[in-house]
Amino acid sequence: MRTALRFYDGNGGSAMTESLNGTVALVTGASSGIGAATAQTLAVNGAAVALLGRRGERLRTLANEIEANGGAALVLEADITDPEQAKAAVEQTVVDLGRLDTVVNNAGASFVGPVEDAPPQEWDRMIAVNVEGVLHVTRAALPHLVDAARSSPRRVADLVSISSTAGRIARPGQAVYALTKSAVNAFSEALRQELQSKRVRVGVMAPGTVDTELASHLRDGIREAVMQQIAKIELLRPQDVADAVAYVVTRERRVAVNEMLVRAAEQTW
């Protein structure tokens, strides 16, 4: 289903915005969930979208959907935990689409459970994707975002990183995951201050529990416990987060939404 941001037009109705026309957005982890929904929403709002992820077939399916709805999409099959692959993907975006105005660091890994018996490889994966991947993509993208802020008719560029409520409130079973998301928050705040004068807006999106495939990656026993915990609440949908991201990056140049917390209405943590 085609979705779009809608704003009141002053006459009691609403109208779709195409405020990202002429811009290019790169979304990591675009093969599913929040990433796929965000890519589609940015495309509806006029951006050409680079779809970055490891699952090429899913990315190609998404690109076909975007193009069928009149948008433009570029498939980038790469692993952002490898700095060379991350840099190459960013450079390919600029070569093929001409510029880079918006980056959404969405790719993430989530493994939960007590520290005492957690497999170290789960920690390694979360640190590699949630922290190092964000650093690699951001570092490669920054020169292009600074250029875009100078040359774009909007005179602004955006870097949004998907964090989590876990980056604000550490809870049992989420120690290392919370560590990685807290790192994203700290990195983003320092970078915001560094780039403020260059009109590259840096924002953090902190969703609560979202109905995505991440829970299916958990170990047996852990997965069932998590599903039981969230069974009594109506989870956020990926589109809810995508709409929030689109709100952030479509603001006028004078407005910077540096942090947004979006919880499921019944979520208490």
Side-chain angles (χ1 to χ4, degrees):
M1 180 176 66
R2 184 167 178 160
T3 57
L5 286 179
R6 292 186 177 275
F7 298 95
Y8 288 109
D9 60 11
N11 298 310
S14 62
M16 185 173 69
T17 177
E18 295 184 344
S19 58
L20 298 180
N21 277 354
T23 70
V24 173
L26 182 148
V27 181
T28 71
S31 61
S32 66
I34 294 170
T38 298
Q40 289 174 315
T41 302
L42 297 182
V44 165
N45 282 273
V49 184
L51 312 173
L52 176 53
R54 294 181 300 133
R55 295 178 289 187
E57 192 57 40
R58 289 195 181 191
L59 296 175
R60 285 185 283 274
T61 298
L62 177 59
N64 290 339
E65 292 174 1
I66 289 172
E67 291 168 352
N69 284 325
L74 171 68
V75 171
L76 299 166
E77 190 173 351
D79 183 351
I80 62 168
T81 67
D82 179 339
E84 294 304 318
Q85 289 189 47
K87 181 178 180 181
V90 170
E91 297 302 324
Q92 193 65 48
T93 299
V94 176
V95 168
D96 287 11
L97 299 180
R99 56 187 300 114
L100 181 58
D101 303 83
T102 303
V103 171
V104 181
N105 282 316
N106 164 75
S110 176
F111 300 102
V112 299
V115 168
E116 189 175 9
D117 60 359
Q121 58 266 32
E122 291 185 352
W123 299 352
D124 293 343
R125 183 63 185 166
M126 285 190 286
I127 292 169
V129 178
N130 300 355
V131 180
E132 294 176 358
V134 169
L135 297 180
H136 299 329
V137 172
T138 300
R139 179 65 186 87
L142 283 182
H144 303 293
L145 293 175
V146 171
D147 287 346
R150 293 194 193 107
S151 64
S152 168
R154 301 182 70 231
R155 296 184 300 138
V156 70
D158 285 282
L159 173 70
V160 179
S161 294
I162 306 300
S163 181
S164 168
T165 53
R168 298 166 56 94
I169 304 172
R171 302 178 68 245
Q174 294 186 336
V176 179
Y177 180 67
L179 178 154
T180 66
K181 293 305 184 177
S182 297
V184 169
N185 295 349
F187 173 70
S188 298
E189 172 56 20
L191 190 61
R192 179 190 71 81
Q193 296 176 52
E194 290 182 22
L195 297 176
Q196 194 170 25
S197 64
K198 298 179 180 180
R199 290 294 182 169
V200 177
R201 299 183 296 201
V202 179
V204 170
M205 180 64 58
T209 305
V210 185
D211 187 7
T212 71
E213 64 180 39
L214 284 179
S216 66
H217 301 164
L218 301 176
R219 286 175 283 136
D220 292 343
I222 298 293
R223 180 173 58 254
E224 288 74 19
V226 169
M227 297 306 293
Q228 184 177 9
Q229 180 187 44
I230 64 177
K232 295 181 180 180
I233 68 174
E234 183 178 1
L235 303 181
L236 292 172
R237 299 174 184 177
Q239 188 62 52
D240 298 326
V241 183
D243 288 343
V245 172
Y247 177 85
V248 169
V249 304
T250 55
R251 296 308 85 204
E252 295 291 338
R253 182 174 184 263
R254 67 183 180 275
V255 181
V257 182
N258 300 130
E259 184 176 6
M260 187 179 288
L261 174 64
V262 183
R263 282 191 178 99
E266 299 163 297
Q267 185 173 340
T268 57
W269 60 90

